[in-house]
Amino acid sequence: MIIEVLQTRAFAAPTKSDLDTWINGYSLPVTSVIDPPSKPKATFDTYGGREQVFVLDMRTMKILRYVQGSVVGTGDSSVTQAIPFLMDLLSKA
Amino acid sequence: MRFAAAALLLLASCAGESDSGNVATEDSVATDTSGSTDTTPPVDDTGTTIADSSSTDSGTAPDGAADADPYGAYPPGPYGTKVGQTLAPLDWVGYVNLKGDAVSTTKTYGPTSLDALRRTGKGYGLVHLSEFG
């Protein structure tokens, strides 16, 4: 399961319109979410800033792998770095 | 973000192919050949349990069985963001797309949560945090 969290737009809480633009801009076929209007920026405040990946064991919700990608656009993204680990997990499932 | 998006697309296709190794869901029920004996009920794209129309239930259940929660409560804290720690539950709103079969804006927009997604029965999850510049 992949969960894409659009946590901010220019450091402000994103709207549904922002999420739609984000998804459609990259044709994302994965679960994609934002914080509810009643809890703006809750993800940012709880998990931290962008370009992070958490690979979870969904039975225990424990973090199996953490990756901080580049926030200046250099090097591999956090997702790219996490893929080999996740694929290895799935191959053993 | 472009590289991350491309990676997500790749990962979505790969993860979909591996669904048979996980608990049955609406999209994997028909094709699951793993021989799993897991009896976790299937769920739809919203994380809602799907009624089993093929059930041969006699109508008699052990006391309390009808209230059984196969997933239990969300794991308790303390929560954190480091390896080995439990990720805190959060509420979200957006598009749940478990099948990866279409651009997510074609799915139903609505409330969801990390707990609701946990209850879909998938074995592993990848949470990616991004920002729209």
Side-chain angles (χ1 to χ4, degrees):
Chain A
M1 166 184 300
I2 302 163
I3 306 168
E4 171 78 359
V5 186
L6 181 59
Q7 58 178 11
T8 54
R9 176 173 185 177
F11 304 105
T15 64
K16 177 181 180 295
S17 176
D18 293 330
L19 181 63
D20 289 352
T21 300
W22 185 251
I23 293 168
N24 291 331
Y26 296 104
S27 299
L28 292 179
V30 300
T31 293
S32 303
V33 298
I34 58 177
D35 293 309
S38 61
K39 300 175 183 176
K41 298 182 70 176
T43 303
F44 179 89
D45 293 339
T46 306
Y47 296 166
R50 66 186 168 94
E51 250 311 90
Q52 297 183 84
V53 157
F54 302 99
V55 177
L56 304 175
D57 180 335
M58 297 297 282
R59 298 173 188 87
T60 64
M61 302 312 285
K62 288 193 180 298
I63 300 167
L64 301 176
R65 178 64 61 95
Y66 167 79
V67 178
Q68 171 66 65
S70 170
V71 294
V72 295
T74 60
D76 288 337
S77 72
S78 56
V79 174
T80 299
Q81 294 179 58
I83 283 177
F85 179 75
L86 184 60
M87 296 306 292
D88 185 54
L89 288 175
L90 292 173
S91 72
K92 297 172 182 172
Chain B
M1 170 61 194
R2 185 162 300 168
F3 295 118
L8 282 171
L9 291 171
L10 172 64
L11 191 55
S13 62
C14 293
E17 292 170 2
S18 301
D19 271 355
S20 63
N22 296 329
V23 173
T25 59
E26 180 183 25
D27 51 320
S28 63
V29 165
T31 57
D32 186 355
T33 58
S34 65
S36 170
T37 56
D38 196 322
T39 57
T40 304
V43 295
D44 64 16
D45 268 0
T46 66
T48 303
T49 301
I50 300 168
D52 182 0
S53 58
S54 64
S55 172
T56 56
D57 188 347
S58 65
T60 303
D63 287 346
D67 295 330
D69 178 356
Y71 299 102
Y74 194 92
Y79 301 117
T81 57
K82 294 181 170 58
V83 171
Q85 296 182 320
T86 304
L87 197 63
L90 287 177
D91 294 327
W92 291 311
V93 60
Y95 304 94
V96 175
N97 186 350
L98 300 180
K99 296 179 181 177
D101 59 348
V103 174
S104 295
T105 47
T106 62
K107 306 292 184 179
T108 302
Y109 184 86
T112 186
S113 66
L114 189 58
D115 188 36
L117 295 169
R118 175 182 72 95
R119 291 168 178 277
T120 61
K122 300 292 186 182
Y124 299 103
L126 184 154
V127 179
H128 179 233
L129 308 183
S130 52
E131 180 187 27
F132 195 171

